[in-house]
């Protein structure tokens, strides 16, 4: 799995990947505890998306939406910077 340009090895077993993804999601639900956090939810969904087509579709749609918003934000900042008088 590649995440932010780094390769992260995942277990070869489907059951181990599902257990890992599920445990990360459950840990993310208990984000009020000191060690656990909300960061575990998306990571668990990314791991589960490798084996589940339904979760994969949700992940792809959210990636496309986030990328679109990021590009619009950057374009808006460039226009504001170019139109700002010095």
């Amino acid at each position: 799995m590649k995440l932010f340009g780094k390769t992260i090895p995942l277990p070869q077993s489907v059951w181990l990947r599902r257990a890992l993804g599920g445990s990360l999601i459950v840990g993310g639900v208990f984000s009020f505890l000191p060690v656990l956090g909300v960061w575990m939810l998306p990571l668990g969904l990314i791991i589960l998306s490798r084996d589940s087509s339904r979760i994969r579709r949700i992940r792809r749609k959210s990636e496309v939406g986030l990328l679109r918003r990021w590009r619009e934000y950057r374009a808006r900042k460039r226009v504001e910077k170019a139109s700002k008088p010095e």
Side-chain angles (χ1 to χ4, degrees):
M1 176 175 74
K2 282 194 168 193
L3 189 63
F4 300 115
K6 297 194 181 213
T7 303
I8 300 170
L10 287 178
Q12 294 297 319
S13 171
V14 173
W15 295 108
L16 283 175
R17 283 194 303 266
R18 287 182 181 174
L20 178 63
S23 62
L24 283 169
I25 290 173
V26 169
V29 170
F30 297 108
S31 61
F32 58 88
L33 297 172
V35 176
L36 308 174
V38 180
W39 61 270
M40 297 173 89
L41 287 170
L43 186 60
L45 288 173
I46 289 171
I47 291 172
L48 286 178
S49 72
R50 179 162 179 170
D51 298 317
S52 172
S53 61
R54 189 174 294 158
I55 296 174
R56 191 177 312 124
R57 271 186 245 119
I58 294 169
R59 180 184 53 86
R60 285 180 184 165
K61 285 181 182 179
S62 64
E63 284 177 0
V64 169
L66 286 172
L67 184 60
R68 186 177 296 137
R69 286 186 196 145
W70 175 252
R71 287 181 178 164
E72 290 171 0
Y73 172 77
R74 285 182 32 201
R76 193 171 42 240
K77 287 294 184 181
R78 283 189 200 130
V79 169
E80 288 175 3
K81 188 176 181 180
S83 66
K84 190 182 271 188
E86 291 186 33

